Amino acid sequence: MLQRKMAAPCGRMATRSLLHFLSLSRTARGVTGFRQFSITSLNRATSQTKSLTGKASSPWTLMAAVCLQRLPVVSAACSPTEQRFKEMMLQLELEKSLLSDHELRLLEDAETMSRKQADDYDSDEEDERGDQEIVLAQDLEDSWEQKLKSFQPARRLTADVDKDLTSVERCLADSLLLLAEQQVGGEKLWLLPQAQWTEGETLRQTAQKALASLPAAFKATFLGNAPCGVYKYKLPKAARTESSAGTKVFFFKAVLSDAGPPAAPNAPFLWVKKSELQHYLKPAYMMKVDRFLLDL
């Protein structure tokens, strides 16, 4: 009886020890499996990171082009509707405006003359002015009219200059766009001035480099650091390779601030209006440029 009582606790202790050993074994296997999974994931992530950080060459050639505009120098001629509205506003301004200093002086001189003719003028008023020469308002108007007759305004339309597409002084009432003759493959095309991007510079710096490469000292103000458009074209299948699929051209807008000295007649660039672009640009290229080009 005593042996049975002593055997029962021993049996329970043995059973607990066995269950504890089995649980530790399962836990160890689970932890081992988890560690193996973590190491595998880490190796995979490391290999992916190496492949991403590796210097993989893009099959696209990056270029930047500058859309340089010369803004209008003189105001455009008014349309019939604009002319009628202008005349109406001038008439309203004339009716509601106050007299100017010159008009007040004209009235004062007229009153003085009428008083002199009516012998109601005090000569002491002239004595107060001393030896100063009396200049009437009408005398001023006569001198101004003489100066106006000798004034010759500059011509708004210069037919000889308008025919010279290399002159920045043509079509003063219109906005002009700069085109440059560039070698693309085996042919020469009229494009916006462009240059190939090199590592270590921004695309805007590439566009500035393209403008500086022209044989003329153009000074421009760039409108932002982000491109305003992009044009992408692929190489012909015969010339296409895995490392060279085509070219992406990013456009940057700029406004001309100084044209520098006049260009030579045979200079490799043109100043054209928006309506003239279709004569020089390819249709696909023209469609991309027309999206961000404003006819100011």
Side-chain angles (χ1 to χ4, degrees):
M1 190 68 178
L2 181 59
Q3 293 179 353
R4 288 181 182 175
K5 290 182 179 180
M6 293 180 62
C10 292
R12 286 195 297 271
M13 292 178 61
T15 303
R16 290 176 182 174
S17 300
L18 179 60
L19 293 175
H20 182 65
F21 175 75
L22 293 176
S23 63
L24 287 177
S25 299
R26 285 196 297 267
T27 305
R29 286 196 299 270
V31 172
T32 304
F34 178 76
R35 288 178 179 174
Q36 291 176 354
F37 175 76
S38 300
I39 293 174
T40 305
S41 303
L42 181 61
N43 292 335
R44 189 182 300 112
T46 304
S47 61
Q48 291 177 355
T49 305
K50 289 182 178 179
S51 62
L52 290 175
T53 56
K55 192 175 181 180
S57 59
S58 173
W60 294 94
T61 301
L62 301 182
M63 304 191 75
V66 55
C67 176
L68 182 61
Q69 280 187 282
R70 191 223 64 186
L71 299 180
V73 180
V74 298
S75 59
C78 295
S79 64
T81 303
E82 293 173 338
Q83 185 64 30
R84 291 196 300 270
F85 181 77
K86 177 181 177 181
E87 294 174 356
M88 182 187 69
M89 295 303 295
L90 290 176
Q91 184 64 29
L92 288 176
E93 182 180 359
L94 178 62
E95 293 175 358
K96 296 183 178 181
S97 63
L98 301 176
L99 295 178
S100 64
D101 293 341
H102 179 70
E103 291 171 330
L104 292 175
R105 185 172 178 180
L106 283 174
L107 295 177
E108 182 181 352
D109 291 344
E111 182 183 359
T112 303
M113 293 299 295
S114 62
R115 287 169 58 189
K116 283 184 177 181
Q117 294 175 358
D119 294 333
D120 189 19
Y121 182 72
D122 189 1
S123 60
D124 293 338
E125 296 180 6
E126 294 183 356
D127 296 338
E128 293 177 358
R129 297 181 182 179
D131 297 334
Q132 294 181 359
E133 183 180 359
I134 300 175
V135 180
L136 300 179
Q138 188 61 42
D139 297 334
L140 290 176
E141 287 190 359
D142 294 339
S143 63
W144 293 341
E145 288 181 0
Q146 292 298 327
K147 291 181 180 180
L148 179 61
K149 291 179 181 179
S150 62
F151 175 75
Q152 294 295 332
R155 293 181 298 172
R156 292 176 56 89
L157 300 177
T158 52
D160 51 344
V161 178
D162 288 349
K163 297 178 182 179
D164 185 10
L165 297 180
T166 61
S167 175
V168 73
E169 300 296 333
R170 68 182 296 261
C171 302
L172 298 178
D174 299 304
S175 178
L176 300 181
L177 183 68
L178 179 65
L179 298 181
E181 190 178 31
Q182 309 234 341
Q183 186 75 28
V184 179
E187 61 178 339
K188 290 186 177 181
L189 299 175
W190 288 106
L191 303 170
L192 299 181
Q194 63 183 24
Q196 185 171 350
W197 173 81
T198 56
E199 188 176 358
E201 66 181 9
T202 63
L203 286 174
R204 170 172 167 167
Q205 291 173 344
T206 306
Q208 293 173 335
K209 179 177 64 177
L211 186 61
S213 63
L214 296 177
F218 294 126
K219 293 183 180 180
T221 302
F222 278 76
L223 306 180
N225 296 320
C228 58
V230 61
Y231 172 67
K232 180 177 68 173
Y233 64 91
K234 292 184 178 181
L235 296 174
K237 291 186 178 180
R240 199 180 307 168
T241 61
E242 293 183 358
S243 60
S244 179
T247 302
K248 293 181 180 180
V249 184
F250 296 89
F251 301 105
F252 288 81
K253 296 191 71 173
V255 176
L256 181 69
S257 56
D258 188 9
N266 57 349
F269 57 83
L270 303 175
W271 288 100
V272 297
K273 298 185 292 185
K274 184 178 180 180
S275 59
E276 300 171 340
L277 287 176
Q278 56 185 349
H279 303 300
Y280 300 95
L281 301 181
K282 297 286 185 180
Y285 191 88
M286 172 67 188
M287 182 179 63
K288 297 295 183 180
V289 173
D290 189 64
R291 290 181 177 178
F292 58 82
L293 184 61
L294 299 178
D295 191 7
L296 301 177

PDB file of all heavy atoms in Angstrom, residues 245-266:
ATOM      1  N   ALA A 245      17.650  52.387 -76.117  1.00  0.00           N
ATOM      2  CA  ALA A 245      16.305  52.218 -76.662  1.00  0.00           C
ATOM      3  C   ALA A 245      15.778  53.485 -77.321  1.00  0.00           C
ATOM      4  O   ALA A 245      14.970  53.412 -78.240  1.00  0.00           O
ATOM      5  CB  ALA A 245      15.343  51.770 -75.558  1.00  0.00           C
ATOM      6  N   GLY A 246      16.207  54.639 -76.845  1.00  0.00           N
ATOM      7  CA  GLY A 246      15.717  55.893 -77.403  1.00  0.00           C
ATOM      8  C   GLY A 246      16.174  57.074 -76.573  1.00  0.00           C
ATOM      9  O   GLY A 246      17.141  56.984 -75.805  1.00  0.00           O
ATOM     10  N   THR A 247      15.467  58.194 -76.711  1.00  0.00           N
ATOM     11  CA  THR A 247      15.860  59.447 -76.065  1.00  0.00           C
ATOM     12  C   THR A 247      14.640  60.091 -75.430  1.00  0.00           C
ATOM     13  O   THR A 247      13.548  60.058 -75.991  1.00  0.00           O
ATOM     14  CB  THR A 247      16.488  60.417 -77.082  1.00  0.00           C
ATOM     15  OG1 THR A 247      17.618  59.787 -77.687  1.00  0.00           O
ATOM     16  CG2 THR A 247      16.934  61.707 -76.412  1.00  0.00           C
ATOM     17  N   LYS A 248      14.852  60.686 -74.252  1.00  0.00           N
ATOM     18  CA  LYS A 248      13.849  61.480 -73.568  1.00  0.00           C
ATOM     19  C   LYS A 248      14.361  62.911 -73.458  1.00  0.00           C
ATOM     20  O   LYS A 248      15.447  63.140 -72.924  1.00  0.00           O
ATOM     21  CB  LYS A 248      13.540  60.918 -72.174  1.00  0.00           C
ATOM     22  CG  LYS A 248      12.852  59.563 -72.184  1.00  0.00           C
ATOM     23  CD  LYS A 248      12.551  59.097 -70.768  1.00  0.00           C
ATOM     24  CE  LYS A 248      11.863  57.736 -70.767  1.00  0.00           C
ATOM     25  NZ  LYS A 248      11.574  57.270 -69.386  1.00  0.00           N
ATOM     26  N   VAL A 249      13.567  63.857 -73.972  1.00  0.00           N
ATOM     27  CA  VAL A 249      13.948  65.270 -73.970  1.00  0.00           C
ATOM     28  C   VAL A 249      13.021  66.022 -73.011  1.00  0.00           C
ATOM     29  O   VAL A 249      11.797  65.993 -73.185  1.00  0.00           O
ATOM     30  CB  VAL A 249      13.863  65.880 -75.379  1.00  0.00           C
ATOM     31  CG1 VAL A 249      14.361  67.318 -75.361  1.00  0.00           C
ATOM     32  CG2 VAL A 249      14.664  65.052 -76.373  1.00  0.00           C
ATOM     33  N   PHE A 250      13.596  66.684 -72.025  1.00  0.00           N
ATOM     34  CA  PHE A 250      12.838  67.459 -71.041  1.00  0.00           C
ATOM     35  C   PHE A 250      12.977  68.948 -71.383  1.00  0.00           C
ATOM     36  O   PHE A 250      14.087  69.448 -71.557  1.00  0.00           O
ATOM     37  CB  PHE A 250      13.345  67.182 -69.624  1.00  0.00           C
ATOM     38  CG  PHE A 250      13.140  65.765 -69.180  1.00  0.00           C
ATOM     39  CD1 PHE A 250      14.102  64.795 -69.423  1.00  0.00           C
ATOM     40  CD2 PHE A 250      11.977  65.386 -68.529  1.00  0.00           C
ATOM     41  CE1 PHE A 250      13.913  63.477 -69.024  1.00  0.00           C
ATOM     42  CE2 PHE A 250      11.778  64.080 -68.116  1.00  0.00           C
ATOM     43  CZ  PHE A 250      12.746  63.130 -68.373  1.00  0.00           C
ATOM     44  N   PHE A 251      11.832  69.651 -71.445  1.00  0.00           N
ATOM     45  CA  PHE A 251      11.804  71.048 -71.865  1.00  0.00           C
ATOM     46  C   PHE A 251      11.743  71.966 -70.644  1.00  0.00           C
ATOM     47  O   PHE A 251      11.011  71.692 -69.687  1.00  0.00           O
ATOM     48  CB  PHE A 251      10.596  71.320 -72.765  1.00  0.00           C
ATOM     49  CG  PHE A 251      10.569  70.478 -74.010  1.00  0.00           C
ATOM     50  CD1 PHE A 251       9.693  69.403 -74.114  1.00  0.00           C
ATOM     51  CD2 PHE A 251      11.414  70.745 -75.061  1.00  0.00           C
ATOM     52  CE1 PHE A 251       9.660  68.622 -75.252  1.00  0.00           C
ATOM     53  CE2 PHE A 251      11.396  69.973 -76.202  1.00  0.00           C
ATOM     54  CZ  PHE A 251      10.522  68.910 -76.298  1.00  0.00           C
ATOM     55  N   PHE A 252      12.497  73.072 -70.725  1.00  0.00           N
ATOM     56  CA  PHE A 252      12.502  74.107 -69.685  1.00  0.00           C
ATOM     57  C   PHE A 252      12.195  75.449 -70.341  1.00  0.00           C
ATOM     58  O   PHE A 252      12.769  75.791 -71.376  1.00  0.00           O
ATOM     59  CB  PHE A 252      13.857  74.171 -68.974  1.00  0.00           C
ATOM     60  CG  PHE A 252      14.125  73.011 -68.061  1.00  0.00           C
ATOM     61  CD1 PHE A 252      14.580  71.802 -68.567  1.00  0.00           C
ATOM     62  CD2 PHE A 252      13.914  73.118 -66.703  1.00  0.00           C
ATOM     63  CE1 PHE A 252      14.825  70.728 -67.737  1.00  0.00           C
ATOM     64  CE2 PHE A 252      14.156  72.043 -65.857  1.00  0.00           C
ATOM     65  CZ  PHE A 252      14.605  70.845 -66.376  1.00  0.00           C
ATOM     66  N   LYS A 253      11.296  76.222 -69.721  1.00  0.00           N
ATOM     67  CA  LYS A 253      10.899  77.512 -70.277  1.00  0.00           C
ATOM     68  C   LYS A 253      11.814  78.615 -69.751  1.00  0.00           C
ATOM     69  O   LYS A 253      12.239  78.605 -68.593  1.00  0.00           O
ATOM     70  CB  LYS A 253       9.453  77.825 -69.919  1.00  0.00           C
ATOM     71  CG  LYS A 253       8.444  76.858 -70.507  1.00  0.00           C
ATOM     72  CD  LYS A 253       7.032  77.351 -70.339  1.00  0.00           C
ATOM     73  CE  LYS A 253       6.752  78.525 -71.241  1.00  0.00           C
ATOM     74  NZ  LYS A 253       5.332  78.924 -71.232  1.00  0.00           N
ATOM     75  N   ALA A 254      12.099  79.572 -70.635  1.00  0.00           N
ATOM     76  CA  ALA A 254      12.931  80.720 -70.281  1.00  0.00           C
ATOM     77  C   ALA A 254      12.478  81.921 -71.108  1.00  0.00           C
ATOM     78  O   ALA A 254      11.881  81.771 -72.172  1.00  0.00           O
ATOM     79  CB  ALA A 254      14.409  80.423 -70.520  1.00  0.00           C
ATOM     80  N   VAL A 255      12.779  83.116 -70.594  1.00  0.00           N
ATOM     81  CA  VAL A 255      12.428  84.372 -71.259  1.00  0.00           C
ATOM     82  C   VAL A 255      13.716  85.123 -71.556  1.00  0.00           C
ATOM     83  O   VAL A 255      14.598  85.234 -70.700  1.00  0.00           O
ATOM     84  CB  VAL A 255      11.492  85.218 -70.376  1.00  0.00           C
ATOM     85  CG1 VAL A 255      11.206  86.563 -71.027  1.00  0.00           C
ATOM     86  CG2 VAL A 255      10.187  84.474 -70.121  1.00  0.00           C
ATOM     87  N   LEU A 256      13.811  85.636 -72.760  1.00  0.00           N
ATOM     88  CA  LEU A 256      15.011  86.364 -73.176  1.00  0.00           C
ATOM     89  C   LEU A 256      15.102  87.688 -72.426  1.00  0.00           C
ATOM     90  O   LEU A 256      14.153  88.462 -72.387  1.00  0.00           O
ATOM     91  CB  LEU A 256      14.966  86.608 -74.685  1.00  0.00           C
ATOM     92  CG  LEU A 256      16.168  87.332 -75.298  1.00  0.00           C
ATOM     93  CD1 LEU A 256      17.395  86.445 -75.250  1.00  0.00           C
ATOM     94  CD2 LEU A 256      15.870  87.750 -76.727  1.00  0.00           C
ATOM     95  N   SER A 257      16.277  87.940 -71.831  1.00  0.00           N
ATOM     96  CA  SER A 257      16.515  89.202 -71.120  1.00  0.00           C
ATOM     97  C   SER A 257      17.514  90.097 -71.835  1.00  0.00           C
ATOM     98  O   SER A 257      17.467  91.313 -71.690  1.00  0.00           O
ATOM     99  CB  SER A 257      17.013  88.920 -69.691  1.00  0.00           C
ATOM    100  OG  SER A 257      18.180  88.096 -69.717  1.00  0.00           O
ATOM    101  N   ASP A 258      18.423  89.510 -72.622  1.00  0.00           N
ATOM    102  CA  ASP A 258      19.394  90.291 -73.376  1.00  0.00           C
ATOM    103  C   ASP A 258      19.813  89.487 -74.592  1.00  0.00           C
ATOM    104  O   ASP A 258      20.253  88.332 -74.458  1.00  0.00           O
ATOM    105  CB  ASP A 258      20.602  90.645 -72.511  1.00  0.00           C
ATOM    106  CG  ASP A 258      21.548  91.610 -73.207  1.00  0.00           C
ATOM    107  OD1 ASP A 258      21.174  92.128 -74.283  1.00  0.00           O
ATOM    108  OD2 ASP A 258      22.651  91.851 -72.697  1.00  0.00           O
ATOM    109  N   ALA A 259      19.687  90.091 -75.767  1.00  0.00           N
ATOM    110  CA  ALA A 259      19.996  89.370 -77.008  1.00  0.00           C
ATOM    111  C   ALA A 259      21.452  89.480 -77.410  1.00  0.00           C
ATOM    112  O   ALA A 259      21.928  88.689 -78.224  1.00  0.00           O
ATOM    113  CB  ALA A 259      19.117  89.888 -78.145  1.00  0.00           C
ATOM    114  N   GLY A 260      22.182  90.449 -76.885  1.00  0.00           N
ATOM    115  CA  GLY A 260      23.566  90.611 -77.258  1.00  0.00           C
ATOM    116  C   GLY A 260      23.713  91.243 -78.639  1.00  0.00           C
ATOM    117  O   GLY A 260      22.758  91.803 -79.197  1.00  0.00           O
ATOM    118  N   PRO A 261      24.888  91.134 -79.250  1.00  0.00           N
ATOM    119  CA  PRO A 261      25.108  91.732 -80.577  1.00  0.00           C
ATOM    120  C   PRO A 261      24.317  90.997 -81.651  1.00  0.00           C
ATOM    121  O   PRO A 261      23.921  89.847 -81.469  1.00  0.00           O
ATOM    122  CB  PRO A 261      26.625  91.578 -80.790  1.00  0.00           C
ATOM    123  CG  PRO A 261      27.015  90.421 -79.911  1.00  0.00           C
ATOM    124  CD  PRO A 261      26.098  90.479 -78.723  1.00  0.00           C
ATOM    125  N   PRO A 262      24.062  91.643 -82.792  1.00  0.00           N
ATOM    126  CA  PRO A 262      23.319  90.978 -83.876  1.00  0.00           C
ATOM    127  C   PRO A 262      24.036  89.732 -84.373  1.00  0.00           C
ATOM    128  O   PRO A 262      25.264  89.668 -84.404  1.00  0.00           O
ATOM    129  CB  PRO A 262      23.241  92.065 -84.963  1.00  0.00           C
ATOM    130  CG  PRO A 262      23.453  93.356 -84.239  1.00  0.00           C
ATOM    131  CD  PRO A 262      24.366  93.051 -83.105  1.00  0.00           C
ATOM    132  N   ALA A 263      23.244  88.738 -84.763  1.00  0.00           N
ATOM    133  CA  ALA A 263      23.811  87.471 -85.229  1.00  0.00           C
ATOM    134  C   ALA A 263      24.146  87.555 -86.710  1.00  0.00           C
ATOM    135  O   ALA A 263      23.631  88.420 -87.444  1.00  0.00           O
ATOM    136  CB  ALA A 263      22.834  86.331 -84.971  1.00  0.00           C
ATOM    137  N   ALA A 264      24.986  86.651 -87.160  1.00  0.00           N
ATOM    138  CA  ALA A 264      25.340  86.591 -88.576  1.00  0.00           C
ATOM    139  C   ALA A 264      24.151  86.098 -89.388  1.00  0.00           C
ATOM    140  O   ALA A 264      23.299  85.355 -88.874  1.00  0.00           O
ATOM    141  CB  ALA A 264      26.536  85.662 -88.768  1.00  0.00           C
ATOM    142  N   PRO A 265      24.056  86.477 -90.663  1.00  0.00           N
ATOM    143  CA  PRO A 265      22.896  86.050 -91.473  1.00  0.00           C
ATOM    144  C   PRO A 265      22.772  84.539 -91.618  1.00  0.00           C
ATOM    145  O   PRO A 265      21.668  84.021 -91.768  1.00  0.00           O
ATOM    146  CB  PRO A 265      23.155  86.733 -92.826  1.00  0.00           C
ATOM    147  CG  PRO A 265      24.054  87.880 -92.516  1.00  0.00           C
ATOM    148  CD  PRO A 265      24.916  87.422 -91.375  1.00  0.00           C
ATOM    149  N   ASN A 266      23.899  83.827 -91.576  1.00  0.00           N
ATOM    150  CA  ASN A 266      23.878  82.371 -91.737  1.00  0.00           C
ATOM    151  C   ASN A 266      23.991  81.650 -90.400  1.00  0.00           C
ATOM    152  O   ASN A 266      24.492  80.515 -90.340  1.00  0.00           O
ATOM    153  CB  ASN A 266      25.000  81.922 -92.662  1.00  0.00           C
ATOM    154  CG  ASN A 266      26.374  82.382 -92.166  1.00  0.00           C
ATOM    155  OD1 ASN A 266      26.458  83.203 -91.234  1.00  0.00           O
ATOM    156  ND2 ASN A 266      27.428  81.865 -92.768  1.00  0.00           N
TER     157      ASN A 266
END
